[in-house]
Amino acid sequence: VFKMYLPETKEYLRNLNNLFIIREIKKKKKIEELVLPTALIKLNKNVIGYFMPYIKGKSLCNYLLDLSVDNKQKLYVFTQLAKVIEWLPSGIHIGDLHANNIIVDQHNKIHLIDIDGFSIDGGEQLSVPTPLPYVVGKYCNREGHPIISKNSDIYCVFQLFLRYILQGFDIMDSEYMGKYISFLKYIEG
């Protein structure tokens, strides 16, 4: 698979920087679930993209919707994802953790793609897939964006898991969350 960069974008250098850092760290710690580039592609001395292995399988989104897949296998996928977060070296965070950046192969093994979107302490802090609800100031950076950390990765897995067990319903949706909290206060009182 070829992923191409647009060198004019501000994310270009940030993604490349993280890619080089992760490549060096991966050499030191083997995490098979990470799909790393096999070759960088240059044009006029500028890296314009990279090749990575093609993983035959389904996105986690489609996998969880597949009625032919046993629920125990689906839960096993979440277990693998939790282990990857645990195994990542200190300072490395998935960051952009959502169901389309995870491929599940025919053996129910997960593969994390879009590695250049990871966030790195001492490198680039890129993004989380959805804003974290009710994030208080101490968990935000100077620009007011949520700090990407192991905790934000755990939150993203939690959100994916909740969507799965609630059959696609997103309880963490900020519109619903307010109503839900009001409902809990009502039934408590």
Side-chain angles (χ1 to χ4, degrees):
V1 174
F2 176 65
K3 180 171 182 178
M4 185 173 176
Y5 290 123
L6 298 174
E8 299 82 35
T9 65
K10 66 179 182 174
E11 297 300 314
Y12 166 73
L13 289 176
R14 296 172 69 188
N15 285 18
L16 271 182
N17 184 38
N18 280 355
L19 194 61
F20 290 127
I21 293 170
I22 289 170
R23 187 174 66 178
E24 289 305 309
I25 291 171
K26 170 101 191 251
K27 289 178 184 176
K28 297 174 188 165
K29 187 167 187 173
K30 188 166 176 73
I31 302 175
E32 294 176 6
E33 293 82 358
L34 302 182
V35 181
L36 289 176
T38 56
L40 297 176
I41 307 302
K42 292 184 179 182
L43 178 67
N44 300 328
K45 298 183 183 179
N46 293 319
V47 175
I48 61 163
Y50 61 85
F51 284 112
M52 65 180 181
Y54 174 75
I55 305 299
K56 187 174 181 176
K58 299 176 182 178
S59 70
L60 179 59
C61 182
N62 290 332
Y63 181 82
L64 294 174
L65 293 172
D66 188 340
L67 299 176
S68 70
V69 177
D70 180 77
N71 282 331
K72 286 184 181 182
Q73 293 170 316
K74 292 176 182 179
L75 290 175
Y76 176 64
V77 165
F78 283 104
T79 301
Q80 291 176 71
L81 193 50
K83 286 181 181 179
V84 168
I85 292 171
E86 180 184 334
W87 293 334
L88 284 172
S90 178
I92 304 291
H93 316 292
I94 300 169
D96 192 18
L97 177 53
H98 58 81
N100 290 318
N101 278 346
I102 302 165
I103 303 294
V104 183
D105 68 21
Q106 70 241 18
H107 304 292
N108 299 307
K109 302 283 186 194
I110 65 167
H111 304 270
L112 279 75
I113 57 174
D114 200 22
I115 298 299
D116 59 326
F118 274 39
S119 288
I120 300 170
D121 296 349
E124 300 292 342
Q125 293 279 311
L126 297 176
S127 67
V128 290
T130 56
L132 303 176
Y134 311 112
V135 175
V136 295
K138 69 180 181 177
Y139 298 109
C140 294
N141 62 20
R142 289 183 211 139
E143 292 83 39
H145 300 112
I147 295 171
I148 300 163
S149 66
K150 187 174 197 169
N151 289 335
S152 63
D153 286 347
I154 292 167
Y155 167 81
C156 290
V157 173
F158 177 69
Q159 189 175 28
L160 287 169
F161 183 71
L162 277 179
R163 274 194 212 140
Y164 160 63
I165 62 173
L166 296 173
Q167 299 175 357
F169 183 74
D170 189 359
I171 195 170
M172 302 306 276
D173 180 317
S174 59
E175 180 183 325
Y176 177 78
M177 183 60 83
K179 292 176 184 176
Y180 182 66
I181 291 172
S182 294
F183 170 74
L184 290 176
K185 287 178 183 176
Y186 171 76
I187 62 170
E188 184 180 76

